[in-house]
């Protein structure tokens, strides 16, 4: 409610300034919360979604959000998600979507795979059971192929620095080298990624991830039982638990050694859970003297520690690198390793390929078919959407597959290539899938709803209807993209923002999006704490219903309070006392306007003009900067001052109109009512935003505070034309009674005057 109230205020102000504004609304309704609720209440998620969207829509209309309802979309609508499925097929055709067996989070109670965001403190968010790791075949999307583009593309955006940094950190690009270490007594090699290759003269051991495919081959017979037991224990831990820097390091020896060719040292190979498969090559070389984690491990298992960098950052005990600074030594050793054929320069990323499969019912069916003869093939585009079958009830399968696996009429199908018996994919898409491109859909939502036109094109095999619609919509897409302002919570600064940027970059590369970057400005909204002082959220069931507040105080009081309660990006607690203060302001505003309408003046006084124009300037700047709380505060201050000023001079109708216009984006109902009270026929919301009259911004006199040793002790007024007379102004300041009280008998050692701002006198 707070986010949309803010966006609606911006949309209304921009329209009043003469802009065309696309302020759309849609329902991103696939996902775990809906599925959990549906299972809990034994309802179909389709029914739950329909009820919730109807309720939200009713609330939003009552709250006067000026959405373009003709462009409304719903990610669970088959006419929408067939496009999400089409995008996945394009990823598959371009080699960016593939199937692979890999470890995932597994809930033994729910018998389902879980995304990382569904695991809380190593427990299943749904049932609270301890989560383990299990190897399962998953659809993976190669977002890592776009890692560099996702970094460089940030330069084209106006994201705040915090958001850019979050994106860069999540991608986590590093430059280094993959070093090959031969296995002692064998022909195989282990490749380790290193960003500090200059320290390899101090490398004394190697650690490999428990799930690495080479573990079994590296483990000797006498160590097999211990290694397997350790791997089983590691599967029970989340990735966050495993990589936490402060946790005690554990591991088990495989019985095998690798050779450090720089020193001819035999290095024992350990299996340890602090190494994860997706990081680098899943193999880490241990340099205890240069890494805290390696030091802890070496100390525990009594492994050698060789210092290779001195306190001045120069190399020691490192043969031909000795005496070099680490930066120079890094380039030297990488050149050496490449010349010898022992290593290859490489870039590495914290970013992992996107695990796209979910073993859930409530999600977009992945449009793929598995044929014994043709392997994985995509559903023909003319057969989209692959509809999610509606069932009365569903539970996770005993095998951990999606509940769709138990619906034979859904699973069994014909291969579109050879016509043979085949099996449809039963995993569904993650909850991000439908929202990764919805901002494009808003631009041509009306075409999406023209089913007759689309159906006609689908029946004509000479057309690719999806490409056609994108092509026909280029004018609209170019008109509205990139999105001017995108607001979300901090939790969206990485995942959703990254995924959606990736998808649009991909669509740009295949020629259907006119922009590579979907958003221009990205801002974060804050958090509201509920009555229990916890973050207000559906899952905590501490949400305050907007309708309850609106029934009690009115919609405008609710909207205005949400804007006034604190900085837009801050954390704020719900406070009904402050809300009552907002109500009193609106009551005061209405009474003031009603009084002025009854006693309309032919001209406003000078003081009224000054107060009004300063407020217009301040409110305009504040709304542009998303400083809604100060925009409201300035209007509160304006009404208080005008109440005093209007006792000497009434207010002209034109100036009353300006007051109402300033309030309109924030309190649309009260503003409209006051506008009609003036006898206006058109809505205030189609009027023009008030312009500032510069001549009323100039002050005849300026108040200048006087500080003694940085603390304000007095003030006086100076005529505007005399502000540059530093000598004269300082003389006046020193003669003030309040100042002389603090300077009497003391020596003024320094006099500082900031023209028109302040004076500071420094005494000893």
């Amino acid at each position: 409610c707070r986010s949309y109230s803010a966006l609606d205020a911006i949309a209304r102000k921009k329209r009043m300034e003469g802009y065309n504004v696309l302020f759309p609304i849609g329902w991103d309704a696939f996902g775990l919360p809906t599925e959990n609720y549906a299972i809990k209440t034994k309802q179909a998620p389709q029914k739950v979604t329909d009820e919730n969207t109807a309720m939200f829509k009713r609330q939003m209309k009552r709250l006067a959000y000026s959405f373009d309802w003709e462009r409304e979309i719903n990610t669970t609508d088959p006419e929408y998600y067939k496009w999400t499925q089409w995008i996945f097929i394009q990823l598959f055709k371009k080699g960016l979507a593939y199937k692979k067996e890999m470890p995932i989070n597994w809930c033994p109670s729910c018998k389902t795979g879980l995304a990382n965001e569904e695991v809380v403190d190593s427990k299943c968010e749904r049932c609270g059971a301890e989560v383990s790791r299990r190897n399962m075949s998953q659809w993976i999307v190669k977002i890592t192929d776009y890692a560099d583009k996702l970094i460089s593309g940030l330069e084209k955006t106006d994201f705040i620095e915090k958001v850019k940094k979050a994106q860069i950190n999540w991608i986590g690009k590093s430059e280094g080298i993959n070093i090959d270490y031969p296995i002692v007594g064998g022909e195989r090699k282990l490749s380790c990624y290193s960003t500090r290759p200059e320290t390899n003269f101090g490398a004394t051991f190697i650690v490999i991830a428990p799930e690495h495919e080479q573990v079994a081959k590296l483990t000797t017979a006498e160590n097999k039982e211990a290694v397997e037991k350790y791997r089983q224990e590691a599967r029970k831990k989340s990735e966050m638990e495993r990589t936490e820097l402060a946790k005690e390091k554990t591991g088990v020896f495989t019985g095998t050694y690798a050779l450090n060719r720089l020193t001819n040292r035999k290095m024992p190979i350990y299996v340890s859970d602090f190494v994860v498969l997706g990081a680098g090559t899943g193999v880490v070389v241990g340099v205890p003297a240069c890494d805290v984690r390696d030091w802890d491990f070496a100390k525990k298992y009594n492994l050698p520690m060789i210092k290779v960098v001195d306190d001045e950052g120069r190399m020691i005990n490192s043969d031909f690198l000795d005496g070099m600074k680490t930066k120079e030594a890094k380039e030297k050793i990488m050149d050496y390793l490449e010349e010898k054929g022992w290593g290859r320069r490489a870039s590495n990323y914290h970013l992992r390929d996107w695990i796209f499969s979910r073993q859930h019912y409530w999600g977009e069916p992945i449009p793929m078919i598995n044929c014994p003869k043709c392997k994985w093939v995509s559903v023909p585009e003319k057969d989209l959407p692959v509809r999610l079958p509606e069932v009365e009830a569903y539970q996770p399968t005993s095998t951990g597959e999606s509940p769709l696996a138990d619906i034979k009429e859904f699973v069994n199908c014909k291969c579109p290539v050879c016509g043979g018996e085949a099996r449809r994919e039963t995993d569904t898409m993650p909850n991000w899938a439908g929202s990764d491109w919805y901002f494009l859909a808003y631009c041509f939502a009306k075409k999406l709803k023209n089913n007759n036109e689309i159906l006609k094109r689908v029946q004509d095999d000479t057309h690719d209807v999806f490409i056609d619609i994108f092509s026909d919509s280029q004018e609209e897409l170019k008109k509205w993209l990139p999105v001017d302002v995108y607001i979300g919570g901090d939790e969206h600064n990485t995942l959703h923002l990254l995924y959606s940027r990736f998808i649009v970059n991909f669509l740009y590369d295949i020629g259907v999006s006119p922009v590579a970057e979907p958003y221009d400005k990205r801002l974060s909204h804050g958090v509201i704490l509920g009555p229990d002082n916890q973050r207000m959220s559906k899952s905590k069931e501490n949400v305050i219903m907007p309708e309850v507040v609106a029934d009690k105080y009115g919609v405008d009081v609710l909207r205005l309070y949400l804007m006034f309660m604190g900085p837009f990006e801050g954390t704020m607690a719900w406070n009904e006392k402050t809300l009552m203060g907002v109500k009193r302001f609106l009551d005061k505003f209405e009474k003031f306007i009603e009084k002025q309408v009854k006693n309309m003046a032919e001209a406003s006084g000078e003081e009224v003009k000054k107060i009004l124009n300063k407020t217009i300037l301040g409110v305009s700047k504040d709304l542009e900067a998303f400083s809604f709380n100060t925009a409201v505060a300035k209007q509160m201050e304006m009404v208080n001052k005008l109440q005093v000023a209007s006792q000497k001079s009434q207010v002209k109708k034109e100036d009353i109109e300006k007051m109402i216009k300033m309030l309109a984006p924030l309190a649309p109902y009260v503003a409209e009512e006051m506008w009609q009270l003036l006898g206006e026929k058109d809505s205030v919301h189609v009027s023009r935003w008030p312009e500032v009259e510069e001549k009323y911004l100039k002050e005849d006199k300026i108040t200048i505070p006087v500080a003694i040793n940085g603390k304000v002790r007095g003030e006086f007024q100076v005529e505007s034309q005399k502000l540059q007379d530093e000598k004269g102004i300082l003389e006046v300041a020193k003669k003030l009674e309040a100042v002389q009280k603090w300077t009497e008998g003391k020596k003024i050692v320094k006099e500082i005057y900031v023209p028109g701002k302040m004076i500071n006198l420094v005494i000893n």
Side-chain angles (χ1 to χ4, degrees):
C1 187
R2 186 166 192 268
S3 299
Y4 284 125
S5 295
L7 283 167
D8 187 60
I10 296 299
R12 288 181 181 276
K13 175 177 179 282
K14 288 294 181 184
R15 290 192 200 99
M16 292 173 76
E17 289 176 326
Y19 288 93
N20 290 320
V21 178
L22 176 51
F23 185 36
I25 184 63
W27 314 101
D28 182 20
F30 274 133
L32 194 67
T34 303
E35 183 162 14
N36 283 348
Y37 183 78
I39 290 174
K40 182 180 177 181
T41 59
K42 294 183 170 55
Q43 298 183 74
Q46 289 91 338
K47 181 175 182 291
V48 172
T49 298
D50 288 346
E51 289 175 353
N52 278 332
T53 51
M55 179 185 70
F56 271 113
K57 191 169 182 175
R58 184 184 71 247
Q59 289 178 332
M60 286 173 166
K61 288 191 171 182
R62 184 181 178 190
L63 290 164
Y65 296 146
S66 54
F67 297 127
D68 183 350
W69 289 101
E70 289 186 357
R71 296 176 188 260
E72 178 187 0
I73 60 172
N74 190 316
T75 60
T76 69
D77 180 353
E79 291 305 314
Y80 178 89
Y81 69 66
K82 70 181 179 185
W83 287 76
T84 311
Q85 292 173 337
W86 178 81
I87 291 170
F88 181 85
I89 289 172
Q90 308 318 302
L91 290 166
F92 175 74
K93 287 180 176 179
K94 297 294 183 181
L96 291 170
Y98 62 98
K99 199 81 184 277
K100 179 185 178 183
E101 187 167 292
M102 65 179 301
I104 64 165
N105 300 311
W106 172 258
C107 175
S109 174
C110 298
K111 295 182 173 60
T112 186
L114 302 174
N116 284 337
E117 61 268 22
E118 297 163 6
V119 180
V120 179
D121 296 329
S122 303
K123 292 181 173 63
C124 174
E125 183 186 49
R126 179 183 292 174
C127 71
E130 197 77 29
V131 171
S132 63
R133 303 280 282 178
R134 172 183 282 201
N135 279 354
M136 290 190 72
S137 184
Q138 303 282 295
W139 281 102
I140 314 292
V141 172
K142 295 173 71 174
I143 189 173
T144 50
D145 279 17
Y146 276 73
D148 287 328
K149 284 186 178 180
L150 291 171
I151 293 173
S152 62
L154 291 170
E155 296 175 8
K156 303 173 186 174
T157 71
D158 190 26
F159 295 175
I160 57 175
E161 203 54 42
K162 177 177 77 170
V163 174
K164 286 186 178 182
K165 189 174 181 180
Q167 292 276 286
I168 290 169
N169 289 346
W170 191 267
I171 296 167
K173 183 178 181 179
S174 64
E175 300 290 347
I177 190 168
N178 287 326
I179 305 173
D180 294 331
Y181 297 96
I183 303 301
V184 175
E187 296 182 358
R188 294 194 311 278
K189 298 174 185 175
L190 272 183
S191 181
C192 297
Y193 176 76
S194 175
T195 58
R196 298 285 310 277
E198 74 279 5
T199 66
N200 261 248
F201 281 96
T204 61
F205 65 93
I206 282 180
V207 182
I208 187 168
E211 55 271 81
H212 199 289
E213 60 183 11
Q214 292 292 328
V215 170
K217 297 174 184 176
L218 293 168
T219 305
T220 59
E222 57 268 30
N223 291 283
K224 185 175 181 181
E225 185 178 342
V227 168
E228 190 52 39
K229 182 180 178 182
Y230 186 85
R231 295 177 81 186
Q232 292 293 341
E233 289 299 316
R235 290 192 183 107
K236 298 176 183 178
K237 299 178 183 178
S238 70
E239 190 170 307
M240 186 176 292
E241 280 183 290
R242 287 171 52 176
T243 56
E244 185 185 356
L245 193 62
K247 88 173 189 76
E248 183 184 0
K249 304 300 177 289
T250 62
V252 61
F253 182 38
T254 63
T256 305
Y257 294 82
L259 182 67
N260 184 342
R261 289 187 278 205
L262 291 171
T263 61
N264 281 323
R265 177 185 294 276
K266 288 201 306 180
M267 301 185 295
I269 302 172
Y270 283 79
V271 177
S272 179
D273 61 10
F274 77 74
V275 182
V276 292
L277 191 60
T281 62
V283 186
V284 171
V285 64
V287 186
C290 297
D291 184 278
V292 173
R293 184 182 56 182
D294 295 351
W295 173 275
D296 291 342
F297 193 87
K299 189 176 180 181
K300 181 169 184 176
Y301 294 102
N302 198 29
L303 298 167
M305 303 180 188
I306 302 168
K307 189 172 182 179
V308 290
V309 181
D310 67 16
D311 295 338
E312 295 180 355
R314 293 188 180 277
M315 304 303 301
I316 57 174
N317 301 321
S318 299
D319 198 3
F320 59 89
L321 299 180
D322 282 352
M324 293 182 186
K325 283 284 190 180
T326 53
K327 188 175 180 181
E328 178 190 359
K330 178 177 179 178
E331 292 302 314
K332 185 78 171 177
I333 194 66
M334 288 202 290
D335 289 342
Y336 180 81
L337 292 170
E338 286 194 317
E339 286 169 12
K340 287 284 191 179
W342 298 347
R344 300 158 303 284
R345 276 180 168 85
S347 297
N348 193 28
Y349 303 88
H350 170 266
L351 180 67
R352 316 286 172 76
D353 278 341
W354 183 4
I355 301 175
F356 206 76
S357 292
R358 296 292 184 272
Q359 291 72 43
H360 295 154
Y361 167 78
W362 190 234
E364 301 93 336
I366 295 176
M368 300 299 294
I369 292 171
N370 193 8
C371 171
K373 179 181 176 183
C374 306
K375 305 305 179 187
W376 283 106
V377 296
S378 59
V379 171
E381 292 169 19
K382 66 182 179 63
D383 293 339
L384 296 178
V386 177
R387 292 176 180 268
L388 189 66
E390 294 191 18
V391 292
E392 288 186 12
Y394 60 89
Q395 294 297 330
T397 62
S398 58
T399 60
E401 294 178 282
S402 158
L404 295 177
D406 284 342
I407 305 174
K408 292 180 180 179
E409 57 271 28
F410 176 80
V411 175
N412 299 327
C413 62
K414 298 289 184 182
C415 173
V417 177
C418 71
E421 296 296 324
R423 178 183 169 88
R424 196 182 298 280
E425 174 58 76
T426 58
D427 283 352
T428 53
M429 297 186 191
N431 58 323
W432 307 107
S435 62
D436 284 337
W437 69 279
Y438 68 109
F439 34 85
L440 303 179
Y442 287 134
C443 298
F444 55 92
K446 294 175 184 177
K447 280 192 174 73
L448 286 177
K449 294 175 182 180
N450 188 351
N451 289 327
N452 291 332
E453 178 189 348
I454 293 175
L455 184 63
K456 184 178 177 183
R457 296 190 192 192
V458 169
Q459 291 168 343
D460 181 355
D461 287 340
T462 61
H463 286 278
D464 182 329
V465 63
F466 296 93
I467 294 291
D468 278 357
I469 296 294
F470 268 121
S471 297
D472 291 352
S473 305
Q474 285 300 301
E475 189 176 330
E476 281 285 287
L477 290 166
K478 288 174 182 175
K479 177 181 179 181
W480 293 115
L481 295 175
V483 176
D484 292 281
V485 180
Y486 164 38
I487 289 178
D490 279 348
E491 67 274 16
H492 287 173
N493 283 346
T494 48
L495 295 181
H496 178 263
L497 184 57
L498 200 68
Y499 292 151
S500 55
R501 290 181 59 225
F502 159 63
I503 290 297
V504 175
N505 263 271
F506 169 70
L507 294 175
Y508 175 79
D509 285 348
I510 65 172
V512 297
S513 170
V515 296
E517 286 294 333
Y519 317 109
D520 180 34
K521 187 187 289 285
R522 171 67 169 83
L523 300 173
S524 296
H525 63 68
V527 171
I528 299 181
L529 305 180
D532 57 356
N533 218 33
Q534 297 290 313
R535 177 174 176 160
M536 204 180 287
S537 68
K538 295 186 291 291
S539 61
K540 291 188 176 72
E541 298 183 350
N542 63 347
V543 172
I544 293 174
M545 291 289 284
E547 286 173 312
V548 174
V549 183
D551 286 344
K552 189 173 180 180
Y553 300 110
V555 166
D556 280 353
V557 171
L558 171 62
R559 286 181 54 137
L560 207 60
Y561 169 62
L562 289 170
M563 295 299 91
F564 180 63
M565 66 192 306
F568 186 62
E569 69 283 357
T571 299
M572 295 137 294
W574 183 265
N575 186 327
E576 203 138 333
K577 288 182 180 178
T578 309
L579 184 145
M580 287 303 298
V582 169
K583 184 180 186 306
R584 285 193 291 273
F585 159 66
L586 277 181
D587 290 343
K588 186 187 292 185
F589 183 93
E590 288 185 73
K591 288 176 182 176
F592 180 80
I593 298 297
E594 288 168 357
K595 181 180 178 181
Q596 300 308 314
V597 169
K598 289 177 182 176
N599 303 285
M600 204 85 74
E602 292 185 8
S604 297
E606 183 88 0
E607 185 64 20
V608 168
K609 286 285 191 180
K610 286 181 177 180
I611 294 168
L612 187 60
N613 279 278
K614 282 182 184 176
T615 309
I616 293 170
L617 179 65
V619 170
S620 298
K621 286 182 176 179
D622 286 348
L623 290 179
E624 208 62 35
F626 282 68
S627 297
F628 301 99
N629 58 325
T630 55
V632 176
K634 284 182 174 66
Q635 294 190 58
M636 290 177 169
E637 185 182 11
M638 172 191 71
V639 172
N640 289 337
K641 287 182 175 180
L642 286 178
Q643 280 184 320
V644 176
S646 63
Q647 291 174 4
K648 300 176 183 177
S649 167
Q650 296 300 307
V651 185
K652 186 181 178 183
K653 179 183 177 184
E654 173 189 311
D655 292 329
I656 296 173
E657 288 177 348
K658 289 178 180 179
M659 290 179 63
I660 297 170
K661 288 177 180 182
M662 273 192 285
L663 186 68
L666 296 157
Y669 284 113
V670 168
E672 189 66 54
E673 188 176 344
M674 295 297 99
W675 190 251
Q676 300 303 322
L677 195 63
L678 282 173
E680 301 291 344
K681 293 181 180 178
D682 293 329
S683 170
V684 66
H685 301 292
V686 296
S687 65
R688 297 293 292 190
W689 183 254
E691 293 184 1
V692 173
E693 295 177 80
E694 295 286 342
K695 64 181 179 179
Y696 293 112
L697 297 179
K698 295 176 182 177
E699 291 283 357
D700 294 333
K701 290 185 177 181
I702 304 295
T703 299
I704 298 179
V706 182
I708 310 294
N709 287 353
K711 191 163 186 177
V712 175
R713 299 299 185 183
E715 63 180 30
F716 66 103
Q717 289 191 323
V718 179
E719 292 180 6
S720 300
Q721 63 267 30
K722 295 181 180 179
L723 287 174
Q724 300 306 315
D725 180 12
E726 182 174 349
K727 185 178 179 181
I729 287 174
L730 285 169
E731 285 301 315
V732 173
K734 286 184 283 186
K735 289 178 182 177
L736 291 175
E737 185 178 340
V739 172
Q740 288 185 339
K741 176 184 173 183
W742 290 93
T743 58
E744 187 177 354
K746 297 182 176 65
K747 183 179 180 181
I748 299 174
V749 295
K750 195 171 186 181
E751 300 174 350
I752 303 168
Y753 172 54
V754 181
K757 300 293 184 182
M758 71 167 297
I759 290 170
N760 188 26
L761 303 176
V762 182
I763 61 176
N764 58 17

